[in-house]
Amino acid sequence: MRTRLKGRAVPGATTARLALGLVLLTVATAGACTVPPDAPPRTAPGHHVRHTARAATGLDDPAKKEIAMQLVSSAENSSLDWRAQYQYIEDIGDGRGYTGGIIGFTSGTHDMLELVELYTHRKPDNVLAGYLPALRAVDGGDSHEGLDPGFPKAWKKAARDPAFRKAQNDERDRLYFRPAVERGKADGIGALGQFAYYDALVVHGEGDDPTGFPAIRKRALAKAEPPSRGGDEKTYLNAFLDARVWAMRQEEAHSDTSRIDTAQRVFLKDGNLDLHTPLNWKVYGERYHLG
């Protein structure tokens, strides 16, 4: 589902980090005061910490990561069972060729090619290796030339191989999950914000086009400062989701913005910045519940 550019590496997180904890104030008496630690997890809508980056459980916590996988799967596959999606493959008519796997690797946006190259590097004699020349040829478009009719069947067969499933996990983390968490932590946002970054990277990629993740974040920064720069977390995330909705509406394939409007925006309105369960949301009109 991405619009990422071929061969571009995901930018690493910025090296700047806002120091948390002690704030030393020089006063006439040469005394010092200490800012108290962050408040406990939120239990009331709208309650949030202003003007400071929070030290909280990140999306890379195993329990939070599992929630993230289920949330994305509800939007990408209309199911919470994300592990059942290793074998998924079809052309959904979005101009990106075949879409397959746990986060929708696509034959037209380079990440499916990278996935099969990794799998073949680790296990040269696999059922997808013979399709590498065709994947290289169709990369950047929606053509199936050299892939039909056997590629979907071969993909589903490969999905029974633990090595292929691990390759999907590793490429998801390398290209999308880790960059989202690192960038989110650098911006001082909690698990919800890191998930918003992850979901945006999954759909839009990190290319330099007007609807890529960097452009979405830049659009948000023009409206609000993140906590790492002294801004309010909820205000900044509202600006980011506004920018994300704008980006989705630039393309017919992503014109349904319910993964924002009736999911991420609901959690934000409730003040659930750390993605605590229970969670209730809707995508494409279908209701989901966790916890």
Side-chain angles (χ1 to χ4, degrees), residues 39-184:
R42 293 146 188 77
T43 57
H47 179 63
H48 53 273
V49 178
R50 295 183 62 86
H51 307 306
T52 182
R54 299 180 308 110
T57 302
L59 200 67
D60 49 353
D61 173 82
K64 299 295 184 184
K65 186 175 183 178
E66 179 68 18
I67 290 171
M69 299 305 108
Q70 292 173 301
L71 288 170
V72 167
S73 186
S74 72
E76 294 286 317
N77 304 102
S78 298
S79 170
L80 297 182
D81 187 4
W82 66 270
R83 291 178 179 82
Q85 311 311 321
Y86 290 109
Q87 66 177 347
Y88 163 75
I89 186 163
E90 67 175 321
D91 189 328
I92 61 175
D94 63 351
R96 293 172 172 82
Y98 278 116
T99 295
I102 55 174
I103 49 88
F105 300 97
T106 56
S107 60
T109 61
H110 199 62
D111 59 354
M112 183 176 283
L113 171 60
E114 289 180 304
L115 168 63
V116 177
E117 286 178 336
L118 175 64
Y119 179 39
T120 302
H121 174 74
R122 293 176 174 177
K123 188 174 183 176
D125 185 19
N126 71 76
V127 296
L128 295 178
Y131 290 98
L132 278 172
L135 285 170
R136 294 185 182 109
V138 302
D139 192 19
D142 62 356
S143 174
H144 292 187
E145 186 173 355
L147 298 175
D148 289 341
F151 184 67
K153 183 177 180 180
W155 179 282
K156 292 177 181 179
K157 183 176 181 180
R160 298 196 293 269
D161 182 359
F164 185 51
R165 296 196 295 271
K166 186 178 188 305
Q168 288 196 39
N169 291 343
D170 291 347
E171 285 297 273
R172 171 202 63 200
D173 290 349
R174 180 181 73 87
L175 293 171
Y176 306 113
F177 188 79
R178 282 199 300 269
V181 172
E182 291 169 1
R183 179 70 265 176

Side-chain angles (χ1 to χ4, degrees), residues 41-42 54 56-61 63-72 177 181 189-199 233 237 263-268 270-281 290-291:
R42 293 146 188 77
R54 299 180 308 110
T57 302
L59 200 67
D60 49 353
D61 173 82
K64 299 295 184 184
K65 186 175 183 178
E66 179 68 18
I67 290 171
M69 299 305 108
Q70 292 173 301
L71 288 170
V72 167
F177 188 79
V181 172
I189 54 180
L192 174 59
Q194 293 164 33
F195 174 74
Y197 279 14
Y198 172 57
D199 192 62
E233 184 172 5
L237 289 181
Q264 296 173 48
R265 192 85 76 177
V266 172
F267 308 148
L268 182 57
D270 288 344
N272 192 356
L273 301 178
D274 294 320
L275 276 182
H276 294 308
T277 54
L279 294 170
N280 294 283
W281 74 99
L290 282 178

